Amino acid sequence: MLASILASGLAAGAIYALVGVTYNTMFSTSRVMSFTAGQLAMLGGVFGSMFTLKLGLPIAVGFVLTLLCCAVIGIITEFVAVRPVLKSLDQHLYVLSTLAVALMIQQVTAIKWGTEPQPFPRIVGFGEGVLDEKFWLPVAACAVTIIGLEYLYRRTLVGRAFLAIAEDNFAARALGLPERNLRVASYALAGVVGGIAGFSGGQLLLAFFANGALLNFYGFVPVALGGLGNNRGAIIGGLALGLFQQAANFLVGGIFSSVAVFTLFIVVLLAAPQGLFGASTARRV
């Protein structure tokens, strides 16, 4: 039982962590909490199943096409739901605009794809039992993604430009950085990260249109626990959430596991509103 809890908990936690990183990637350059992150992960599973099973394309080709499609959806989100809000005096309208886009994505997927969970193909074909690829593949994808993002942010000029925009977009604009183009690029990158989450977790979650709303919430919890904008905190928070959720499933089961997750979420936020790894903010008055 312990091995099952660890395997399933780490796999689910890795998926939640990648969705949390998707949230952070979009937030870093726009200061907008886009509630399409879970939908991007859902589309990663749907597009992956469509390209590989329905259209019969090779796994590698299907994976690349899935990431391209999710990147396009991320760019469309920036144009439709984020850019108009940034021009508005009341920028908190992003809650409505991004939720509206998320609902549109979910309903269009349900109409075009169907409302029943669809199977997802085996990608590597390695492992059985608790070592099955559906358990270790999301963890491996999470590790590779976070290493790639760290390299991008620390070792490349584009990544350093992302960090500059995230730190102070007004100063970055004054230095001549193309803020709008970088914001579009960050939403495309967020789409890629979300696509990786959905594709690597496809065997665990299946290709199901309703996964979007579920991942929206469970992907937001690591962001809140780890601190908004902190990818390392999101990874730790996501893995901890997955383990806690699966342990609650085994111990109490059913709806009570969700109640346990909500309770933990509220307790942590009451104790540390900025998140466990978030820096407290100060405002000059």
Side-chain angles (χ1 to χ4, degrees):
M1 184 176 69
L2 179 60
S4 298
I5 292 175
L6 289 175
S8 58
L10 288 175
I15 297 171
Y16 300 154
L18 285 174
V19 178
V21 173
T22 304
Y23 271 116
N24 283 338
T25 304
M26 292 187 282
F27 177 82
S28 62
T29 56
S30 63
R31 289 297 182 266
V32 167
M33 181 61 70
S34 177
F35 294 100
T36 58
Q39 306 297 340
L40 290 170
M42 176 272 292
L43 289 175
V46 170
F47 282 136
S49 179
M50 181 183 71
F51 289 133
T52 56
L53 286 184
K54 287 199 171 184
L55 300 182
L57 298 177
I59 294 293
V61 177
F63 177 66
V64 172
L65 290 177
T66 296
L67 298 190
L68 287 176
C69 290
C70 290
V72 170
I73 298 297
I75 294 173
I76 292 174
T77 299
E78 196 279 334
F79 274 95
V80 173
V82 175
R83 186 172 299 187
V85 171
L86 294 179
K87 298 177 182 178
S88 172
L89 294 177
D90 187 4
Q91 294 189 5
H92 293 293
L93 288 173
Y94 72 80
V95 175
L96 296 177
S97 62
T98 57
L99 275 177
V101 172
L103 289 174
M104 289 174 60
I105 293 173
Q106 179 172 304
Q107 295 306 313
V108 171
T109 305
I111 293 171
K112 298 296 185 181
W113 180 252
T115 57
E116 296 296 326
Q118 302 293 326
F120 198 90
R122 289 183 66 82
I123 298 174
V124 181
F126 172 76
E128 295 179 355
V130 295
L131 296 179
D132 192 275
E133 69 176 57
K134 70 179 181 181
F135 295 127
W136 62 260
L137 195 59
V139 179
C142 182
V144 171
T145 300
I146 197 64
I147 292 172
L149 288 177
E150 286 293 320
Y151 180 84
L152 173 69
Y153 289 141
R154 306 298 177 186
R155 300 293 183 180
T156 66
L157 290 176
V158 174
R160 291 175 180 176
F162 280 144
L163 292 178
I165 292 291
E167 183 69 26
D168 191 333
N169 59 347
F170 295 105
R173 281 204 306 267
L175 292 174
L177 292 177
E179 181 201 8
R180 181 176 297 179
N181 293 339
L182 288 171
R183 189 170 64 243
V184 172
S186 73
Y187 273 72
L189 178 61
V192 170
V193 175
I196 292 173
F199 196 92
S200 63
Q203 296 177 65
L204 192 65
L205 300 177
L206 301 179
F208 187 33
F209 84 101
N211 283 341
L214 179 73
L215 293 174
N216 256 340
F217 172 73
Y218 284 116
F220 178 74
V221 173
V223 175
L225 295 180
L228 189 59
N230 188 332
N231 282 343
R232 296 177 185 178
I235 296 298
I236 296 173
L239 294 176
L241 172 63
L243 290 171
F244 180 81
Q245 182 191 38
Q246 295 305 314
N249 274 332
F250 274 92
L251 294 175
V252 296
I255 189 65
F256 296 105
S257 63
S258 298
V259 174
V261 171
F262 290 139
T263 303
L264 174 67
F265 180 53
I266 293 172
V267 168
V268 171
L269 288 187
L270 287 175
Q274 75 278 5
L276 296 176
F277 304 98
S280 57
T281 58
R283 183 167 60 93
R284 182 177 296 176
V285 295

